[in-house]
């Protein structure tokens, strides 16, 4: 299905994407996975960022990614988490954009999402380590990237499915 | 209506996606093995407490009556209990209290982290204390 989406329609759809991402982000923060291994999460809210990337390009995706991280931090009562998530988000959106730019024909959103999730964790752990002044934090990284690869695959497939709906800009 | 879908090829995964998946999984597993090799160091013997990257104290894991540490710094308050070779954080004034939920650590290289209070508790193995530069 092709939906025309410009001007106010674009603004509205981006706002809806952000709202959906916010709710998903707060919900997944409540999952027990997060308590067992801080920093690990399903990343299901990233579907929204990927859709913004596919439909409206890198700048909208960056906007959604950063605002989502900030708002989830505020709404889940962990404002500091917003910084870690925000840093991860920026790196991940850039990585996903480059993946699509250079390997767009070869990979689906599943591949894009896995690479994005990997760089999300790199960014997040780098900020962890910087905040706490302890390079030992990088020990967590391989464990986190292992989980994020699997989760990224799942969320990428979901995003791929939804992105079948096309939008005319 | 579905005409537009022709060039957006696909539902599901492509070959390259599978390569990416395998590559990232192998990379992560390699990272886990490597970091265990690098950071491994004998039987667990000490608990090292660091705040904001600076040394706060080193404590023997096996002391007769155990030990209760009150770590009060400019970054916050954490109460650490060392008992029978196991370390846990029982109280903290940080908002998320993930450190309290993290439970107990006892193996060399394991860590408890309280990001808001910039506190790291790490278990060191035999002989590792001499090698630390403060």
């Amino acid at each position: 299905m092709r939906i025309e989406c410009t001007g106010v329609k674009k603004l509205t759809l981006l706002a809806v994407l952000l709202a959906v991402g916010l709710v998903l982000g707060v919900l997944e923060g409540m999952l027990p996975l997060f308590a067992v291994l801080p920093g690990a999460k399903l990343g299901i809210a990233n579907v929204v960022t990927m859709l913004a990337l596919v439909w409206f390009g890198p700048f909208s995706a960056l906007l959604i990614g950063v605002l989502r991280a900030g708002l989830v931090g505020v709404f889940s009562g962990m404002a500091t988490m917003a910084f870690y998530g925000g840093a991860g988000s920026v790196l991940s959106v850039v990585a996903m954009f480059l993946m699509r730019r250079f390997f767009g024909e070869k990979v689906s959103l599943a591949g894009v999402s896995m690479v994005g999730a990997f760089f999300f964790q790199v960014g997040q752990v780098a900020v962890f380590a910087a905040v706490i002044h302890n390079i030992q934090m990088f020990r967590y990284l391989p464990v986190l990237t292992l989980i994020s690869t699997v989760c990224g695959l799942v969320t990428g497939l979901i995003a791929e499915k939804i992105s079948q709906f096309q939008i005319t800009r | 209506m579905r005409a537009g879908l022709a060039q957006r090829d696909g539902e599901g995964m492509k070959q390259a996606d599978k390569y990416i998946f395998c590559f990232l999984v192998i990379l992560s597993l390699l990272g886990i093995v490597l970091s265990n090799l690098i950071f491994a160091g004998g039987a667990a013997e000490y608990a090292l407490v660091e705040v904001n990257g600076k040394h706060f104290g080193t404590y023997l894991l096996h002391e007769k009556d155990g030990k209760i540490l009150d770590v009060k710094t400019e970054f916050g308050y954490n109460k650490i209990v060392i008992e029978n070779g196991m370390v846990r954080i029982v109280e903290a004034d940080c908002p998320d209290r993930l450190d309290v939920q993290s439970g107990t650590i006892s193996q060399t290289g394991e860590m408890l982290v309280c990001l808001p209070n910039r506190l790291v508790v790490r278990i060191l193995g035999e002989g590792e204390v001499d090698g630390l530069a403060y």
Side-chain angles (χ1 to χ4, degrees), chain B residues 1 4 8-9 11 13 18 22 37 41 49 52 54-55 57 60 68 76 84 86 95 114-116 123 126 134:
Chain B
M1 267 255 254
R8 232 203 105 63
D9 25 337
E11 296 173 27
M13 288 173 85
K18 290 170 192 162
C22 294
L37 282 179
V49 181
N52 200 25
K54 292 201 185 72
H55 179 248
L60 269 175
I68 297 169
N84 302 322
M86 294 191 283
C114 178
L115 275 174
I123 299 213
E126 293 171 279
Y134 299 130

Side-chain angles (χ1 to χ4, degrees), chain B:
Chain B
M1 267 255 254
R2 284 184 72 88
L5 291 180
Q7 70 268 50
R8 232 203 105 63
D9 25 337
E11 296 173 27
M13 288 173 85
K14 296 184 192 173
Q15 196 67 29
D17 294 331
K18 290 170 192 162
Y19 293 140
I20 293 174
F21 180 77
C22 294
F23 175 73
L24 288 178
V25 167
I26 291 169
L27 190 72
S28 303
L29 289 176
L30 218 69
I32 293 173
V33 172
L34 272 180
S35 72
N36 276 334
L37 282 179
I38 292 169
F39 295 106
E45 199 156 330
Y46 302 95
L48 169 73
V49 181
E50 287 171 307
V51 179
N52 200 25
K54 292 201 185 72
H55 179 248
F56 182 86
T58 315
Y59 308 92
L60 269 175
L61 281 180
H62 293 275
E63 265 188 295
K64 229 194 281 158
D65 308 314
K67 198 169 184 72
I68 297 169
L69 297 171
D70 283 309
V71 183
K72 273 197 196 98
T73 63
E74 55 190 299
F75 302 108
Y77 167 70
N78 299 72
K79 188 174 185 175
I80 304 168
V81 172
I82 304 174
E83 210 173 27
N84 302 322
M86 294 191 283
V87 185
R88 69 202 148 98
I89 298 178
V90 288
E91 252 182 77
D93 64 354
C94 54
D96 50 19
R97 294 170 52 83
L98 287 171
D99 51 345
V100 179
Q101 289 170 34
S102 301
T104 341
I105 55 171
S106 58
Q107 302 297 313
T108 306
E110 280 189 306
M111 283 196 290
L112 288 169
V113 180
C114 178
L115 275 174
N117 295 357
R118 306 194 184 181
L119 174 102
V120 175
V121 185
R122 201 142 55 85
I123 299 213
L124 300 178
E126 293 171 279
E128 261 189 285
V129 170
D130 311 328
L132 283 175
Y134 299 130

Side-chain angles (χ1 to χ4, degrees), chain A residues 35 105-108 111 114 128 131-134 136 139 142 145-146 149 153 157 160-161 163-164 166, chain B residues 4-5 8 10-11 13-14 16-17 21 24 28 31-32 36 39 50 52-53 101 109 111 113 115 118 122:
Chain A
E105 278 105 65
K106 293 205 184 76
V107 295
S108 72
M114 284 186 283
F128 280 163
V131 165
I132 211 158
H133 294 276
N134 201 320
Q136 292 275 338
R139 278 200 60 174
T145 55
L146 184 63
T149 304
L153 175 63
L157 287 173
E160 176 74 26
K161 209 71 176 167
S163 72
Q164 303 294 315
Q166 291 205 316
Chain B
L5 291 180
R8 232 203 105 63
E11 296 173 27
M13 288 173 85
K14 296 184 192 173
D17 294 331
F21 180 77
L24 288 178
S28 303
I32 293 173
N36 276 334
F39 295 106
E50 287 171 307
N52 200 25
Q101 289 170 34
M111 283 196 290
V113 180
L115 275 174
R118 306 194 184 181
R122 201 142 55 85

Side-chain angles (χ1 to χ4, degrees), chain A:
Chain A
M1 182 162 30
R2 193 172 271 273
I3 309 161
E4 183 152 330
C5 222
T6 47
V8 179
K9 274 191 179 170
K10 175 183 172 183
L11 180 69
T12 313
L13 187 55
L14 277 175
V16 170
L17 284 177
L18 182 59
V20 171
L22 171 58
V23 172
L24 288 176
V26 171
L27 280 181
E28 75 180 354
M30 295 172 179
L31 293 178
L33 180 64
F34 190 80
V36 177
L37 194 63
K41 51 184 161 188
L42 215 52
I44 191 91
N46 193 38
V47 168
V48 164
T49 315
M50 278 186 277
L51 289 176
L53 181 64
V54 172
W55 286 339
F56 301 113
F59 294 109
S60 303
L62 205 58
L63 200 63
I64 294 273
V66 171
L67 284 178
R68 188 165 63 74
L71 286 175
V72 168
V74 170
F75 278 82
S76 60
M78 300 185 211
T80 44
M81 289 313 286
F83 286 105
Y84 318 136
S89 243
V90 171
L91 211 55
S92 133
V93 171
V94 171
M96 291 195 294
F97 167 64
L98 292 177
M99 277 298 285
R100 270 182 67 77
R101 192 70 189 268
F102 294 108
F103 305 103
E105 278 105 65
K106 293 205 184 76
V107 295
S108 72
L109 278 183
V112 171
S113 162
M114 284 186 283
V115 172
F118 179 85
F119 280 100
F120 179 87
Q121 294 298 359
V122 172
Q124 180 174 254
V125 173
V127 177
F128 280 163
V131 165
I132 211 158
H133 294 276
N134 201 320
I135 201 84
Q136 292 275 338
M137 281 307 293
F138 277 97
R139 278 200 60 174
Y140 274 144
L141 186 58
V143 184
L144 288 174
T145 55
L146 184 63
I147 297 171
S148 80
T149 304
V150 179
C151 295
L153 175 63
V154 176
T155 56
L157 287 173
I158 295 171
E160 176 74 26
K161 209 71 176 167
I162 302 175
S163 72
Q164 303 294 315
F165 293 95
Q166 291 205 316
I167 276 175
T168 318
R169 278 189 277 166

